Structure formats: structure tokens, C-alpha cells
Amino acid sequence: MKKQLAALLCGTMLLTAALSGCTMNSPVEGKAETTTAAKTTNAETSGANGMESEGTKAVSEKAKIGLLAPTLQTEFFINIDDGLKKECEARGWDYVAVSFDNDSATAVTSIENMVTGKCDVIVAMVSDESCDDALRKAQEAGVKIIECGVQTEVFDVCLNTDQYTIGKEIGTMAGEWINSTLDGKGKVVVYTTFQNTDMQNRGNGIQDGLKAAAPDAEILEVVDIGKDVVGSGTTTTETMLQKYPELNCIAAYGDAAAVESSEAAKAAGKSGDNFGIFSCDGTNQALKGIAENDPMHGTIKFEEMGPIMAEYSEKLLAGETFPDPIDFPTQQITSSNVSEFYTAE
């Protein structure tokens, strides 16, 4: 790994998140979530002169793309799955998506099954080097590997996110809000995860960004809430509000946990006027909260990942190479610009 991650992506800050960040689909026994298939005509599978270069697949020829995601239960990863599936259907490609449930052994098995299942490209949203051997064997079998969210040692394309930088942006947003709303005297809890180095880097970035932007704010506790675990934002926030009645800000590694935290804060009588939650992923639920002045006040949105993943899959199948990591564009979203990204239904 550059050994960084990034919410595009695995809730807050832990692609946090995530990158609540930044993984594509693959078949695993008993775990496949989506499968699509379409056919192309003979004319479509030929190049302009009826030939294709040796060792490459014509970009219009049927291919099979696999997405390997840490979860398919949160909005961030569901959106990636839906977006990539749509792009594959438009190209006449087969597509499979699978969740490895944040378990490295399951991820390795999923990769092996993708190879057996004849995937041409695996989009791997893994968060550390635990899958490198399996991914290397997949490469040796002729499969192209797209790493998304972190940089490990095995990839044909790395769509990278600097997790520390993402975390620092989250912390900076929180600190700026504390300065403008609470006279710099915020009482903050940071939600992170210690499951891997990249998410730890995001959590460290959150703390450093917060301290730099609002030096008089107090970090009451740094909590490991796990990675993209549905329900953890709710239960953790309920506990933190009881433990720290003075709590008025939460900085989380990903939107999944942040949105749950916002609902828990509202249920406890907290208002967006004096309670702030900040995270990463740019999910629709987070944008809605920001637009409605819920305690949710800021997130970091990644450029739509599905189309980018499909674009680089197409380029790899055409024989292009990408030795250097490619950074995902991001955008900070707060009340000042949320109307550009969210329209109420």
C-alpha cells in the first residue's frame, strides 16, 4: 500500500469510511448480490477493420466485470453497485457484485470464485494488503485488477483516495462550524475504526484537521465503531449522549454512521442550530440532512464511481496500462453549496 485508503468512498470517517469510502462486484458462493447479462452482435465485436490486437479484448466484446465491496447494505456502496451495473448493461457486459462483509478471508474466497467464474476485470474495494496474494494470482490468470479507495501492491488501475487527507477535510469542516456556531468551544466525539491502517489514517486526519481549525475545541473521545456496520451510529451516539451531556459535535469517518447519528441526536432533542455532524461519502441521505438543517452539516462527496470504474475497465480490456495511481476527485458539501447537489423531492 502507499499504504494510505477513502466515501468512493467503504458512515464517517473510517473512505473513510469508506473512503464511509473509497470496490466492485464479484461472484462468491452464496453471496452474489446482482447479476446482469446482455449480448452484442457480431458487428459490435469487431474493430474498425474487423480485427483486434493480439492479447486484448475488443472494448465492445462481451466482458464480465466483478465488484468486490466491503458491504452492499449502505447507501454509498449500493449506489456504486447500481451505477456500475447500469454501465455494464449499457456496454452489453456481464456483471456480478458481492459483499465480503469486511472479512478478509471472505474477500479472498470471493476473488478466487471470480477467477473461476471467468471475470475479466475485478473491481476490488478492499482496505488493506490481506488480499494481495489472491489478487496477484488473479492477475496471473489474466484478470485485470482495479483497486478502488486504497493503494495496495497489486493493481492494473488504482483509483486512489488519500485517507488522511479525506479525514483532515472532515475535521476541518467540523472545526470551521464550531468556530462560527459555538465560538470555537465545541465538545467533539470522533467516530473511526481501527480495523485497518487506511481507516486509522482517516481517523487521525479528522483529529488533526479539527485541532488545526478549532484549537479550543475539546475531543472528548475517539471511538472505534467498526466499519460500515448498520446500526452502530445509532447505538454509539445514544451512548455518547448519555456519557457526555455537553457533546455538541460528531466527526465520523462515513455517512452511514453519520446519518444514523443525526437521527439519534434528533431523537434526543438536539437541533441542527447547535449540534453538528460531519462525515464523508456524499450520500443522498447525508445531503438531505444538510439541506434540512439537521445535525448533519457537512460531508465529502466523491465523483460518481460506477462510470469511472466502467471507463477504466474498458481501457484495460483495450490494452491500456496505468502504472501510477489515479486520484478520485472530491467535493466538500455544506449548507453553503448543498443546493448544487441536492434537490428536495
Side-chain angles (χ1 to χ4, degrees), residues 160-180:
N160 188 48
T161 301
D162 186 317
Q163 295 301 327
Y164 177 83
T165 298
I166 290 292
K168 196 167 184 178
E169 290 187 39
I170 295 168
T172 299
M173 286 193 298
E176 290 174 346
W177 178 84
I178 287 170
N179 290 337
S180 64

Side-chain angles (χ1 to χ4, degrees), residues 194-267:
F194 303 141
Q195 292 183 357
N196 59 70
T197 301
D198 285 288
M199 288 301 100
Q200 291 178 38
N201 288 342
R202 185 182 290 192
N204 290 336
I206 292 172
Q207 296 171 66
D208 290 347
L210 178 62
K211 292 172 184 176
D216 292 332
E218 180 183 358
I219 297 178
L220 301 171
E221 189 170 340
V222 177
V223 186
D224 179 1
I225 65 169
K227 189 173 187 302
D228 300 308
V229 178
V230 174
S232 62
T234 301
T235 57
T236 304
T237 300
E238 290 170 348
T239 299
M240 291 296 105
L241 288 169
Q242 291 177 359
K243 186 175 181 179
Y244 303 110
E246 70 276 30
L247 175 65
N248 51 27
C249 184
I250 295 172
Y253 73 86
D255 280 354
V259 169
E260 290 180 350
S261 297
S262 183
E263 293 302 313
K266 287 195 293 183

Side-chain angles (χ1 to χ4, degrees), residues 27-45:
V28 57
E29 294 177 2
K31 301 289 285 186
E33 301 288 343
T34 8
T35 303
T36 67
K39 297 191 176 185
T40 57
T41 65
N42 290 335
E44 288 176 319
T45 59

Side-chain angles (χ1 to χ4, degrees), residues 8 44 61 63 66 114 128 134 145 170 196 215 222 232 250 268 287 314 319 340-341:
L8 248 79
E44 288 176 319
E61 181 180 343
M114 289 182 194
D128 56 34
I145 305 300
I170 295 168
N196 59 70
V222 177
S232 62
I250 295 172
L287 299 181
E314 195 168 61
E340 300 174 24
F341 300 91

Side-chain angles (χ1 to χ4, degrees), residues 282-318:
T283 63
N284 197 60
Q285 288 177 304
L287 299 181
K288 181 176 185 291
I290 295 169
E292 295 178 354
N293 192 38
D294 281 353
M296 188 77 210
H297 281 297
T299 187
I300 297 172
K301 182 176 178 61
F302 294 91
E303 189 169 323
E304 293 300 323
M305 292 187 179
I308 294 175
M309 292 168 171
E311 174 189 348
Y312 279 98
S313 295
E314 195 168 61
K315 290 179 177 180
L316 288 174
L317 293 173

